[in-house]
Amino acid sequence: DKVLTELIEPYELRAAKLREFLEDVKPSLHYDIVPLVDPYGPSVTDPDLQCLVVSEETRRGGEAVNKKRVENGLPELALYEILLMKDPDHSQNEEEKISSSSLRQRLLGTLLRPPRQDPALPSRPYVIGLTGGTGSGKTSIARLLGHLGAFLIDADKLGHAVYVPGGPAYEQVVAAFGAEILNEDGTINRKVLGAKVFGNQGRLKSLTDIVWPEMARMVKEQIREADAQGKAVCVLDAAVLLE
C-alpha cells in the first residue's frame, strides 16, 4: 500500500545507498546487508544476534521478533529504540518524518529520464499519450495541459465520430454486424452493438479491427492539424491507448 510504488528504487540501488551511508558513519565496522523475503529475516533464526534497532513505529515489530525467537528456543534481543527525524519541510499531504514516500511524491511532474530522440518521429509537435481507467483523472489532466497551451485530442470523441453515418467505419460496421444495430434514423445504436460484442472476444476483435485503425488515422490527422497550428505539444487522451 505504498504510494507511487512504480517510483520505488530497485533493491540493489537502495542497498548500495544504505551501505554508502553506513560506511560514512563508521567505516571500521563490517556491514552484512541481507534482503528480507519475509517479515522477520534472520532476526528469528540467527543465534549470534544480540540487539535489534527499532523506531517508535517499528517497536511492535521488534516485540514480535522476540516472541518468535523465544518460540524458536533463542534468547530475546535487546530492543534499542531510536527517534525518527522530523522533516521540517514536509507538506500537508506528506509524512511528518523524513520519508522516501514523501521524496517519491516530490518527483511527480519531473522527467525521470530525458526524452528519447527517435529519428523516425518529427520533433514537433511533441506527442504525450495520456491513459488510465475510468475516474483516473485523464480529463482533468488534459484540461490543465490544454490551459497551458497543449493541443488536445480526445480519443473518446473520435470513437463516436467513426460510427456516425458517413463516418470512416460506419459502412464496415453495419456490414459486419447487420442492420439490426441501426436506429430508425440510420445511426448505429451503440448499446445494441455493445451487447453483440460483450463477452465475445472474437466479435470484439472484429469490431476493434475495423474501428481502431480508423481512429489511429484520425489521430494522425489531428496531430498534423496541431503542427499546422504551430503547437509545440499535443496530448492524446485515450483509455485504451496502449492496446
PDB file of all heavy atoms in Angstrom, residues 89-118:
ATOM      1  N   ASP A  89      10.350  20.446   6.335  1.00  0.00           N
ATOM      2  CA  ASP A  89       9.811  20.995   5.092  1.00  0.00           C
ATOM      3  C   ASP A  89       8.667  20.159   4.516  1.00  0.00           C
ATOM      4  O   ASP A  89       8.284  20.339   3.367  1.00  0.00           O
ATOM      5  CB  ASP A  89      10.924  21.100   4.035  1.00  0.00           C
ATOM      6  CG  ASP A  89      12.055  22.003   4.497  1.00  0.00           C
ATOM      7  OD1 ASP A  89      11.749  23.070   5.051  1.00  0.00           O
ATOM      8  OD2 ASP A  89      13.224  21.627   4.317  1.00  0.00           O
ATOM      9  N   HIS A  90       8.119  19.241   5.313  1.00  0.00           N
ATOM     10  CA  HIS A  90       7.071  18.370   4.759  1.00  0.00           C
ATOM     11  C   HIS A  90       5.789  19.173   4.515  1.00  0.00           C
ATOM     12  O   HIS A  90       5.462  20.095   5.257  1.00  0.00           O
ATOM     13  CB  HIS A  90       6.805  17.183   5.700  1.00  0.00           C
ATOM     14  CG  HIS A  90       6.044  17.522   6.947  1.00  0.00           C
ATOM     15  ND1 HIS A  90       4.671  17.468   7.029  1.00  0.00           N
ATOM     16  CD2 HIS A  90       6.472  17.926   8.162  1.00  0.00           C
ATOM     17  CE1 HIS A  90       4.271  17.814   8.231  1.00  0.00           C
ATOM     18  NE2 HIS A  90       5.354  18.101   8.948  1.00  0.00           N
ATOM     19  N   SER A  91       5.089  18.804   3.439  1.00  0.00           N
ATOM     20  CA  SER A  91       3.832  19.486   3.121  1.00  0.00           C
ATOM     21  C   SER A  91       2.679  18.780   3.829  1.00  0.00           C
ATOM     22  O   SER A  91       2.862  17.750   4.485  1.00  0.00           O
ATOM     23  CB  SER A  91       3.603  19.500   1.611  1.00  0.00           C
ATOM     24  OG  SER A  91       3.414  18.186   1.132  1.00  0.00           O
ATOM     25  N   GLN A  92       1.470  19.319   3.649  1.00  0.00           N
ATOM     26  CA  GLN A  92       0.316  18.824   4.378  1.00  0.00           C
ATOM     27  C   GLN A  92      -0.005  17.367   4.039  1.00  0.00           C
ATOM     28  O   GLN A  92      -0.454  16.603   4.892  1.00  0.00           O
ATOM     29  CB  GLN A  92      -0.901  19.709   4.064  1.00  0.00           C
ATOM     30  CG  GLN A  92      -2.089  19.468   4.988  1.00  0.00           C
ATOM     31  CD  GLN A  92      -3.192  20.486   4.757  1.00  0.00           C
ATOM     32  OE1 GLN A  92      -3.056  21.357   3.911  1.00  0.00           O
ATOM     33  NE2 GLN A  92      -4.264  20.380   5.498  1.00  0.00           N
ATOM     34  N   ASN A  93       0.241  16.955   2.782  1.00  0.00           N
ATOM     35  CA  ASN A  93      -0.102  15.591   2.377  1.00  0.00           C
ATOM     36  C   ASN A  93       1.078  14.634   2.479  1.00  0.00           C
ATOM     37  O   ASN A  93       1.006  13.507   1.987  1.00  0.00           O
ATOM     38  CB  ASN A  93      -0.648  15.594   0.946  1.00  0.00           C
ATOM     39  CG  ASN A  93       0.400  16.025  -0.071  1.00  0.00           C
ATOM     40  OD1 ASN A  93       1.322  16.759   0.279  1.00  0.00           O
ATOM     41  ND2 ASN A  93       0.274  15.584  -1.315  1.00  0.00           N
ATOM     42  N   GLU A  94       2.168  15.064   3.119  1.00  0.00           N
ATOM     43  CA  GLU A  94       3.344  14.201   3.292  1.00  0.00           C
ATOM     44  C   GLU A  94       3.493  13.786   4.746  1.00  0.00           C
ATOM     45  O   GLU A  94       2.894  14.368   5.643  1.00  0.00           O
ATOM     46  CB  GLU A  94       4.605  14.946   2.830  1.00  0.00           C
ATOM     47  CG  GLU A  94       4.635  15.222   1.339  1.00  0.00           C
ATOM     48  CD  GLU A  94       5.857  16.040   0.932  1.00  0.00           C
ATOM     49  OE1 GLU A  94       6.551  16.578   1.809  1.00  0.00           O
ATOM     50  OE2 GLU A  94       6.095  16.147  -0.280  1.00  0.00           O
ATOM     51  N   GLU A  95       4.317  12.749   4.959  1.00  0.00           N
ATOM     52  CA  GLU A  95       4.547  12.266   6.316  1.00  0.00           C
ATOM     53  C   GLU A  95       5.404  13.273   7.091  1.00  0.00           C
ATOM     54  O   GLU A  95       6.234  13.972   6.520  1.00  0.00           O
ATOM     55  CB  GLU A  95       5.233  10.902   6.271  1.00  0.00           C
ATOM     56  CG  GLU A  95       4.361   9.821   5.623  1.00  0.00           C
ATOM     57  CD  GLU A  95       5.014   8.452   5.680  1.00  0.00           C
ATOM     58  OE1 GLU A  95       4.996   7.845   6.773  1.00  0.00           O
ATOM     59  OE2 GLU A  95       5.530   7.992   4.654  1.00  0.00           O
ATOM     60  N   GLU A  96       5.202  13.302   8.392  1.00  0.00           N
ATOM     61  CA  GLU A  96       5.936  14.254   9.233  1.00  0.00           C
ATOM     62  C   GLU A  96       7.413  13.882   9.328  1.00  0.00           C
ATOM     63  O   GLU A  96       8.274  14.732   9.425  1.00  0.00           O
ATOM     64  CB  GLU A  96       5.300  14.296  10.631  1.00  0.00           C
ATOM     65  CG  GLU A  96       5.870  15.395  11.522  1.00  0.00           C
ATOM     66  CD  GLU A  96       5.225  15.421  12.899  1.00  0.00           C
ATOM     67  OE1 GLU A  96       4.310  14.613  13.143  1.00  0.00           O
ATOM     68  OE2 GLU A  96       5.655  16.244  13.727  1.00  0.00           O
ATOM     69  N   LYS A  97       7.700  12.569   9.269  1.00  0.00           N
ATOM     70  CA  LYS A  97       9.095  12.111   9.347  1.00  0.00           C
ATOM     71  C   LYS A  97       9.773  12.247   7.987  1.00  0.00           C
ATOM     72  O   LYS A  97       9.103  12.400   6.955  1.00  0.00           O
ATOM     73  CB  LYS A  97       9.126  10.644   9.796  1.00  0.00           C
ATOM     74  CG  LYS A  97       8.479   9.726   8.775  1.00  0.00           C
ATOM     75  CD  LYS A  97       8.574   8.264   9.161  1.00  0.00           C
ATOM     76  CE  LYS A  97       7.957   7.397   8.055  1.00  0.00           C
ATOM     77  NZ  LYS A  97       8.035   5.970   8.324  1.00  0.00           N
ATOM     78  N   ILE A  98      11.102  12.188   7.971  1.00  0.00           N
ATOM     79  CA  ILE A  98      11.837  12.086   6.715  1.00  0.00           C
ATOM     80  C   ILE A  98      11.500  10.731   6.110  1.00  0.00           C
ATOM     81  O   ILE A  98      11.674   9.697   6.762  1.00  0.00           O
ATOM     82  CB  ILE A  98      13.356  12.230   6.952  1.00  0.00           C
ATOM     83  CG1 ILE A  98      13.690  13.674   7.355  1.00  0.00           C
ATOM     84  CG2 ILE A  98      14.134  11.816   5.710  1.00  0.00           C
ATOM     85  CD1 ILE A  98      15.146  13.917   7.633  1.00  0.00           C
ATOM     86  N   SER A  99      10.980  10.741   4.891  1.00  0.00           N
ATOM     87  CA  SER A  99      10.386   9.527   4.341  1.00  0.00           C
ATOM     88  C   SER A  99      10.617   9.439   2.842  1.00  0.00           C
ATOM     89  O   SER A  99      10.506  10.424   2.119  1.00  0.00           O
ATOM     90  CB  SER A  99       8.883   9.537   4.645  1.00  0.00           C
ATOM     91  OG  SER A  99       8.180   8.679   3.787  1.00  0.00           O
ATOM     92  N   SER A 100      10.918   8.221   2.374  1.00  0.00           N
ATOM     93  CA  SER A 100      11.075   8.024   0.933  1.00  0.00           C
ATOM     94  C   SER A 100       9.739   8.196   0.212  1.00  0.00           C
ATOM     95  O   SER A 100       9.701   8.542  -0.968  1.00  0.00           O
ATOM     96  CB  SER A 100      11.661   6.634   0.642  1.00  0.00           C
ATOM     97  OG  SER A 100      10.841   5.621   1.177  1.00  0.00           O
ATOM     98  N   SER A 101       8.623   7.961   0.923  1.00  0.00           N
ATOM     99  CA  SER A 101       7.304   8.177   0.303  1.00  0.00           C
ATOM    100  C   SER A 101       7.140   9.647  -0.084  1.00  0.00           C
ATOM    101  O   SER A 101       6.637   9.971  -1.164  1.00  0.00           O
ATOM    102  CB  SER A 101       6.182   7.764   1.260  1.00  0.00           C
ATOM    103  OG  SER A 101       6.231   6.385   1.525  1.00  0.00           O
ATOM    104  N   SER A 102       7.565  10.542   0.818  1.00  0.00           N
ATOM    105  CA  SER A 102       7.479  11.973   0.521  1.00  0.00           C
ATOM    106  C   SER A 102       8.391  12.344  -0.649  1.00  0.00           C
ATOM    107  O   SER A 102       8.022  13.144  -1.514  1.00  0.00           O
ATOM    108  CB  SER A 102       7.867  12.800   1.753  1.00  0.00           C
ATOM    109  OG  SER A 102       6.986  12.542   2.831  1.00  0.00           O
ATOM    110  N   LEU A 103       9.580  11.743  -0.688  1.00  0.00           N
ATOM    111  CA  LEU A 103      10.516  12.033  -1.772  1.00  0.00           C
ATOM    112  C   LEU A 103       9.930  11.603  -3.114  1.00  0.00           C
ATOM    113  O   LEU A 103      10.103  12.281  -4.129  1.00  0.00           O
ATOM    114  CB  LEU A 103      11.852  11.334  -1.529  1.00  0.00           C
ATOM    115  CG  LEU A 103      12.641  11.786  -0.292  1.00  0.00           C
ATOM    116  CD1 LEU A 103      13.924  10.971  -0.149  1.00  0.00           C
ATOM    117  CD2 LEU A 103      12.992  13.269  -0.391  1.00  0.00           C
ATOM    118  N   ARG A 104       9.206  10.454  -3.117  1.00  0.00           N
ATOM    119  CA  ARG A 104       8.587   9.993  -4.365  1.00  0.00           C
ATOM    120  C   ARG A 104       7.497  10.958  -4.812  1.00  0.00           C
ATOM    121  O   ARG A 104       7.363  11.241  -5.996  1.00  0.00           O
ATOM    122  CB  ARG A 104       8.018   8.580  -4.190  1.00  0.00           C
ATOM    123  CG  ARG A 104       9.080   7.505  -4.077  1.00  0.00           C
ATOM    124  CD  ARG A 104       8.519   6.123  -4.345  1.00  0.00           C
ATOM    125  NE  ARG A 104       7.497   5.713  -3.406  1.00  0.00           N
ATOM    126  CZ  ARG A 104       7.728   5.232  -2.186  1.00  0.00           C
ATOM    127  NH1 ARG A 104       8.983   5.133  -1.762  1.00  0.00           N
ATOM    128  NH2 ARG A 104       6.752   4.859  -1.406  1.00  0.00           N
ATOM    129  N   GLN A 105       6.723  11.477  -3.853  1.00  0.00           N
ATOM    130  CA  GLN A 105       5.675  12.430  -4.222  1.00  0.00           C
ATOM    131  C   GLN A 105       6.260  13.684  -4.850  1.00  0.00           C
ATOM    132  O   GLN A 105       5.682  14.270  -5.765  1.00  0.00           O
ATOM    133  CB  GLN A 105       4.836  12.787  -2.995  1.00  0.00           C
ATOM    134  CG  GLN A 105       3.882  11.676  -2.577  1.00  0.00           C
ATOM    135  CD  GLN A 105       2.969  12.092  -1.452  1.00  0.00           C
ATOM    136  OE1 GLN A 105       3.394  12.708  -0.483  1.00  0.00           O
ATOM    137  NE2 GLN A 105       1.701  11.748  -1.567  1.00  0.00           N
ATOM    138  N   ARG A 106       7.446  14.082  -4.358  1.00  0.00           N
ATOM    139  CA  ARG A 106       8.072  15.287  -4.901  1.00  0.00           C
ATOM    140  C   ARG A 106       8.623  15.073  -6.311  1.00  0.00           C
ATOM    141  O   ARG A 106       8.947  16.027  -7.007  1.00  0.00           O
ATOM    142  CB  ARG A 106       9.195  15.755  -3.961  1.00  0.00           C
ATOM    143  CG  ARG A 106       8.659  16.260  -2.625  1.00  0.00           C
ATOM    144  CD  ARG A 106       9.763  16.478  -1.596  1.00  0.00           C
ATOM    145  NE  ARG A 106       9.210  16.542  -0.256  1.00  0.00           N
ATOM    146  CZ  ARG A 106       9.939  16.575   0.853  1.00  0.00           C
ATOM    147  NH1 ARG A 106      11.264  16.550   0.769  1.00  0.00           N
ATOM    148  NH2 ARG A 106       9.360  16.616   2.040  1.00  0.00           N
ATOM    149  N   LEU A 107       8.729  13.805  -6.739  1.00  0.00           N
ATOM    150  CA  LEU A 107       9.188  13.510  -8.093  1.00  0.00           C
ATOM    151  C   LEU A 107       8.095  13.722  -9.129  1.00  0.00           C
ATOM    152  O   LEU A 107       8.374  13.792 -10.327  1.00  0.00           O
ATOM    153  CB  LEU A 107       9.672  12.057  -8.185  1.00  0.00           C
ATOM    154  CG  LEU A 107      11.065  11.734  -7.649  1.00  0.00           C
ATOM    155  CD1 LEU A 107      11.302  10.233  -7.685  1.00  0.00           C
ATOM    156  CD2 LEU A 107      12.128  12.455  -8.459  1.00  0.00           C
ATOM    157  N   LEU A 108       6.835  13.809  -8.677  1.00  0.00           N
ATOM    158  CA  LEU A 108       5.736  13.970  -9.625  1.00  0.00           C
ATOM    159  C   LEU A 108       5.931  15.253 -10.436  1.00  0.00           C
ATOM    160  O   LEU A 108       6.179  16.312  -9.881  1.00  0.00           O
ATOM    161  CB  LEU A 108       4.399  14.026  -8.884  1.00  0.00           C
ATOM    162  CG  LEU A 108       3.856  12.686  -8.387  1.00  0.00           C
ATOM    163  CD1 LEU A 108       2.578  12.898  -7.598  1.00  0.00           C
ATOM    164  CD2 LEU A 108       3.593  11.744  -9.550  1.00  0.00           C
ATOM    165  N   GLY A 109       5.797  15.114 -11.754  1.00  0.00           N
ATOM    166  CA  GLY A 109       5.944  16.276 -12.635  1.00  0.00           C
ATOM    167  C   GLY A 109       7.363  16.499 -13.113  1.00  0.00           C
ATOM    168  O   GLY A 109       7.617  17.412 -13.891  1.00  0.00           O
ATOM    169  N   THR A 110       8.311  15.668 -12.650  1.00  0.00           N
ATOM    170  CA  THR A 110       9.691  15.806 -13.135  1.00  0.00           C
ATOM    171  C   THR A 110       9.987  14.678 -14.126  1.00  0.00           C
ATOM    172  O   THR A 110       9.389  13.603 -14.054  1.00  0.00           O
ATOM    173  CB  THR A 110      10.712  15.726 -11.976  1.00  0.00           C
ATOM    174  OG1 THR A 110      10.616  14.432 -11.360  1.00  0.00           O
ATOM    175  CG2 THR A 110      10.439  16.791 -10.943  1.00  0.00           C
ATOM    176  N   LEU A 111      10.906  14.924 -15.045  1.00  0.00           N
ATOM    177  CA  LEU A 111      11.297  13.895 -16.009  1.00  0.00           C
ATOM    178  C   LEU A 111      12.203  12.881 -15.322  1.00  0.00           C
ATOM    179  O   LEU A 111      13.212  13.250 -14.714  1.00  0.00           O
ATOM    180  CB  LEU A 111      12.034  14.518 -17.191  1.00  0.00           C
ATOM    181  CG  LEU A 111      11.185  15.296 -18.201  1.00  0.00           C
ATOM    182  CD1 LEU A 111      12.097  15.979 -19.217  1.00  0.00           C
ATOM    183  CD2 LEU A 111      10.208  14.376 -18.914  1.00  0.00           C
ATOM    184  N   LEU A 112      11.857  11.601 -15.406  1.00  0.00           N
ATOM    185  CA  LEU A 112      12.702  10.555 -14.830  1.00  0.00           C
ATOM    186  C   LEU A 112      13.921  10.299 -15.705  1.00  0.00           C
ATOM    187  O   LEU A 112      14.954   9.866 -15.234  1.00  0.00           O
ATOM    188  CB  LEU A 112      11.902   9.256 -14.670  1.00  0.00           C
ATOM    189  CG  LEU A 112      10.732   9.318 -13.694  1.00  0.00           C
ATOM    190  CD1 LEU A 112      10.016   7.977 -13.640  1.00  0.00           C
ATOM    191  CD2 LEU A 112      11.224   9.683 -12.295  1.00  0.00           C
ATOM    192  N   ARG A 113      13.773  10.548 -16.998  1.00  0.00           N
ATOM    193  CA  ARG A 113      14.891  10.399 -17.936  1.00  0.00           C
ATOM    194  C   ARG A 113      14.642  11.366 -19.081  1.00  0.00           C
ATOM    195  O   ARG A 113      13.491  11.751 -19.317  1.00  0.00           O
ATOM    196  CB  ARG A 113      14.991   8.950 -18.439  1.00  0.00           C
ATOM    197  CG  ARG A 113      13.787   8.473 -19.196  1.00  0.00           C
ATOM    198  CD  ARG A 113      13.890   6.985 -19.524  1.00  0.00           C
ATOM    199  NE  ARG A 113      13.785   6.148 -18.344  1.00  0.00           N
ATOM    200  CZ  ARG A 113      12.612   5.770 -17.803  1.00  0.00           C
ATOM    201  NH1 ARG A 113      11.474   6.159 -18.362  1.00  0.00           N
ATOM    202  NH2 ARG A 113      12.571   5.018 -16.741  1.00  0.00           N
ATOM    203  N   PRO A 114      15.683  11.784 -19.793  1.00  0.00           N
ATOM    204  CA  PRO A 114      15.466  12.729 -20.894  1.00  0.00           C
ATOM    205  C   PRO A 114      14.616  12.084 -21.986  1.00  0.00           C
ATOM    206  O   PRO A 114      14.661  10.865 -22.167  1.00  0.00           O
ATOM    207  CB  PRO A 114      16.887  13.036 -21.392  1.00  0.00           C
ATOM    208  CG  PRO A 114      17.747  11.953 -20.861  1.00  0.00           C
ATOM    209  CD  PRO A 114      17.109  11.451 -19.604  1.00  0.00           C
ATOM    210  N   PRO A 115      13.824  12.885 -22.712  1.00  0.00           N
ATOM    211  CA  PRO A 115      13.012  12.335 -23.795  1.00  0.00           C
ATOM    212  C   PRO A 115      13.885  11.602 -24.817  1.00  0.00           C
ATOM    213  O   PRO A 115      14.958  12.060 -25.171  1.00  0.00           O
ATOM    214  CB  PRO A 115      12.365  13.573 -24.427  1.00  0.00           C
ATOM    215  CG  PRO A 115      12.399  14.615 -23.356  1.00  0.00           C
ATOM    216  CD  PRO A 115      13.631  14.341 -22.548  1.00  0.00           C
ATOM    217  N   ARG A 116      13.402  10.435 -25.250  1.00  0.00           N
ATOM    218  CA  ARG A 116      14.146   9.630 -26.222  1.00  0.00           C
ATOM    219  C   ARG A 116      13.980  10.239 -27.610  1.00  0.00           C
ATOM    220  O   ARG A 116      12.872  10.487 -28.069  1.00  0.00           O
ATOM    221  CB  ARG A 116      13.596   8.200 -26.213  1.00  0.00           C
ATOM    222  CG  ARG A 116      14.271   7.247 -27.198  1.00  0.00           C
ATOM    223  CD  ARG A 116      13.764   5.824 -26.974  1.00  0.00           C
ATOM    224  NE  ARG A 116      12.310   5.758 -27.003  1.00  0.00           N
ATOM    225  CZ  ARG A 116      11.596   5.596 -28.126  1.00  0.00           C
ATOM    226  NH1 ARG A 116      12.199   5.510 -29.286  1.00  0.00           N
ATOM    227  NH2 ARG A 116      10.276   5.532 -28.068  1.00  0.00           N
ATOM    228  N   GLN A 117      15.082  10.493 -28.266  1.00  0.00           N
ATOM    229  CA  GLN A 117      15.050  11.056 -29.611  1.00  0.00           C
ATOM    230  C   GLN A 117      14.911   9.923 -30.627  1.00  0.00           C
ATOM    231  O   GLN A 117      15.789   9.079 -30.735  1.00  0.00           O
ATOM    232  CB  GLN A 117      16.322  11.865 -29.879  1.00  0.00           C
ATOM    233  CG  GLN A 117      16.475  13.097 -29.008  1.00  0.00           C
ATOM    234  CD  GLN A 117      15.333  14.093 -29.210  1.00  0.00           C
ATOM    235  OE1 GLN A 117      14.880  14.315 -30.315  1.00  0.00           O
ATOM    236  NE2 GLN A 117      14.876  14.695 -28.110  1.00  0.00           N
ATOM    237  N   ASP A 118      13.793   9.880 -31.320  1.00  0.00           N
ATOM    238  CA  ASP A 118      13.553   8.858 -32.338  1.00  0.00           C
ATOM    239  C   ASP A 118      13.625   9.539 -33.703  1.00  0.00           C
ATOM    240  O   ASP A 118      12.779  10.373 -34.021  1.00  0.00           O
ATOM    241  CB  ASP A 118      12.173   8.227 -32.123  1.00  0.00           C
ATOM    242  CG  ASP A 118      11.922   7.049 -33.055  1.00  0.00           C
ATOM    243  OD1 ASP A 118      12.581   6.975 -34.114  1.00  0.00           O
ATOM    244  OD2 ASP A 118      11.073   6.203 -32.728  1.00  0.00           O
TER     245      ASP A 118
END
